[in-house]
Amino acid sequence: MARAVILMADSLGVGAAPDAEKFGDVGANTLGHLLDAYAQEHGAALALPNLSKLGLIDACEAASRRTLQVAKRQLPEAAWGYAKELSSGKDTPSGHWEMAGVPVLFDWGYFPHTTPCFPQAFIDEFIKRTGIEGILGDCHASGTTIIAELGEEHVKTGKPICYTSADSVFQIAAHEESFGLERLYEVCEIARSLLDEYNIGRVIARPFLGNDASDFKRTGNRRDYSVLPPAPTVLDKLADAGGEVISIGKIADIYAHQGITQKYKAPGLENLLLKTEQVIADAPDNSLVFTNLVDFDELYGHRRNAVGYANALKEFDDFLPRIIAQLKDGDVLIITADHGCDPTAAGSDHTREYVPVIAYTPGLGNVALGERESFADIGQTLAQWFDLTTLEYGKSFASALKPTQAQ
């Protein structure tokens, strides 16, 4: 029986999507621009031999129609292409769900870019049900910035910091010690139950530690509370067929724990990769190991740190041979993204981009997959890989992954 590994390089877009103008993202190119920034900072191109050997550079150049600045480039020995998004947004759940075969073809609810931005009726009921004295924030904000600005007042008053972004999200930041981690999770669950009528996609718990504004820092105990995907994903189908779907990082949260049979948390890029390596080694046949590499998005994309993003990508590249070494004949490794987050773009929001579609199985040669019409092509490919029933959306490229068809 087959196994599959998905490494979701969160936010690693490879060029503006055809409808980028609708989202204000013309010219976005997360991968291309972080490589440009690195070369400008260091006077030399970043070396990505392992990712280039998997076709990432070729995919980005094909999607964005430009040459990338990268050193130690290798010829691809994998299937590579790029996909555009059917879903109506550029948010995390939409990208993940579509990749698993269920595009989001409805509009999420969003909060207005005003201060205050949350409906008063919701806030009143939220305060009533949680027993808190009130909230701080009530605005669009960067998570790190608003914690620095309001963290001391939060510790003093006990009022949680509530904010949003361009995504369909309600975020609650609270100090793990003075407010309490479990209490933060409890108030997030209450908020989740109240926000369904507003069609808000996620509530996110944002715990932090520190003594004052100079050293407040978010911890690895983030938790996402998502609504359920609108239809069964390939994860559901595999789990229902008796397979293992193993979540590493925030995958389980994004899918509202639907279709997940095992789950592991790990803080930071290195620990996520280490846990993935460990889990693959023990994963049985008919299993899917699914990891979200959140640092790319959370620490570098949203914070517009292009050079930091490049350094993290190099860390990923250096680790990849260890992941590949765990693969057996009949296994497939997929590397993709859920959206872009161009660190050179204005603001701090996601960017509407093509995402890479990289697939490697032992013995495969250079296979160009071209432009894919939907992220759902990945889910459809996995459905065929595991011999599951066909999904409603997506076109499988599983037949291109047979070593005998390598080009």
Side-chain angles (χ1 to χ4, degrees):
M1 298 292 288
R3 301 191 306 171
V5 179
I6 303 173
L7 299 178
M8 179 69 82
D10 199 318
S11 84
L12 189 63
V14 291
D19 58 356
E21 183 176 7
K22 173 184 173 183
F23 297 85
D25 294 328
V26 172
N29 188 338
T30 298
L31 177 57
H33 291 154
L34 70 85
L35 291 175
D36 291 344
Y38 182 93
Q40 183 175 359
E41 176 81 12
H42 294 278
L46 179 67
L48 295 174
N50 299 305
L51 284 165
S52 66
K53 194 173 182 178
L54 292 176
L56 178 65
I57 306 305
D58 292 75
C60 186
E61 289 184 343
S64 59
R65 294 171 176 79
R66 55 155 289 188
T67 300
L68 300 189
Q69 299 187 70
V70 63
K72 297 184 179 180
R73 182 169 180 172
Q74 308 292 309
L75 291 175
E77 295 181 8
W80 55 271
Y82 53 98
K84 58 187 178 183
E85 189 167 9
L86 285 180
S87 299
S88 58
K90 53 181 179 177
D91 54 279
T92 295
S94 294
H96 279 75
W97 296 355
E98 180 170 333
M99 185 229 66
V102 182
V104 176
L105 303 179
F106 56 83
D107 289 327
W108 293 108
Y110 298 93
F111 296 114
H113 215 298
T114 59
T115 302
C117 67
F118 302 128
Q120 190 60 50
F122 157 68
I123 293 299
D124 290 344
E125 188 64 20
F126 178 58
I127 290 171
K128 176 183 176 181
R129 293 203 191 179
T130 59
I132 58 176
E133 295 296 323
I135 68 168
L136 303 175
D138 204 347
C139 61
H140 284 244
S142 159
T144 52
T145 300
I146 201 168
I147 289 170
E149 292 175 348
L150 298 176
E152 292 182 10
E153 185 178 355
H154 156 70
V155 171
K156 180 180 179 181
T157 64
K159 297 178 181 179
I161 304 168
C162 301
Y163 61 102
T164 189
S165 69
D167 283 355
S168 179
V169 64
F170 181 73
Q171 306 194 64
I172 308 177
H175 197 279
E176 282 196 9
E177 294 175 349
S178 66
F179 191 85
L181 185 60
E182 291 304 319
R183 187 181 180 209
L184 171 59
Y185 293 158
E186 289 171 4
V187 300
C188 284
E189 290 171 0
I190 292 169
R192 172 69 277 165
S193 67
L194 295 173
L195 288 169
D196 287 346
E197 67 176 283
Y198 297 93
N199 200 28
I200 299 301
R202 281 183 299 163
V203 173
I204 305 178
R206 293 287 196 177
F208 65 95
L209 286 171
N211 298 311
D212 54 45
S214 67
D215 69 350
F216 285 143
K217 186 176 182 180
R218 295 197 296 206
T219 73
N221 291 319
R222 162 184 172 157
R223 187 172 293 181
D224 293 42
Y225 298 83
S226 176
V227 297
L228 286 171
T233 68
V234 71
L235 280 62
D236 295 305
K237 288 179 177 289
L238 180 56
D240 290 345
E244 293 290 335
V245 180
I246 307 170
S247 161
I248 301 176
K250 67 176 187 175
I251 291 298
D253 291 344
I254 294 169
Y255 289 91
H257 302 265
Q258 184 94 354
I260 305 294
T261 62
Q262 300 180 43
K263 54 189 175 185
Y264 301 92
K265 292 286 189 178
L269 179 60
E270 180 181 9
N271 288 322
L272 286 165
L273 292 170
L274 285 168
K275 177 56 71 174
T276 302
E277 178 187 31
Q278 174 189 338
V279 169
I280 296 171
D282 297 328
D285 289 338
N286 205 35
S287 63
L288 169 62
V289 180
F290 194 172
T291 302
N292 179 285
L293 303 174
V294 67
D295 283 11
F296 296 139
D297 184 54
E298 185 172 80
L299 298 185
Y300 307 111
H302 283 300
R303 299 186 191 183
R304 296 307 190 239
N305 182 351
V307 175
Y309 202 142
N311 289 331
L313 195 62
K314 176 60 176 170
E315 182 180 351
F316 180 37
D317 186 272
D318 289 343
F319 199 97
L320 267 174
R322 295 173 57 170
I323 299 290
I324 292 172
Q326 299 292 332
L327 302 179
K328 306 173 183 178
D329 289 342
D331 291 349
V332 62
L333 168 66
I334 292 174
I335 298 175
T336 188
D338 49 347
H339 48 69
C341 198
D342 190 334
T344 69
S348 61
D349 298 324
H350 295 155
T351 43
R352 182 78 164 188
E353 298 185 49
Y354 287 111
V355 301
V357 178
I358 307 298
Y360 170 81
T361 190
L364 191 63
N366 184 357
V367 180
L369 296 173
E371 180 174 321
R372 315 303 299 187
E373 294 299 312
S374 169
F375 299 3
D377 287 9
I378 294 173
Q380 197 72 270
T381 299
L382 290 173
Q384 185 175 350
W385 197 260
F386 287 113
D387 196 24
L388 304 169
T389 57
T390 302
L391 295 161
E392 183 177 355
Y393 292 92
K395 183 177 181 181
S396 173
F397 52 83
S399 63
L401 304 183
K402 297 178 180 179
T404 56
Q405 296 189 10
Q407 301 173 4

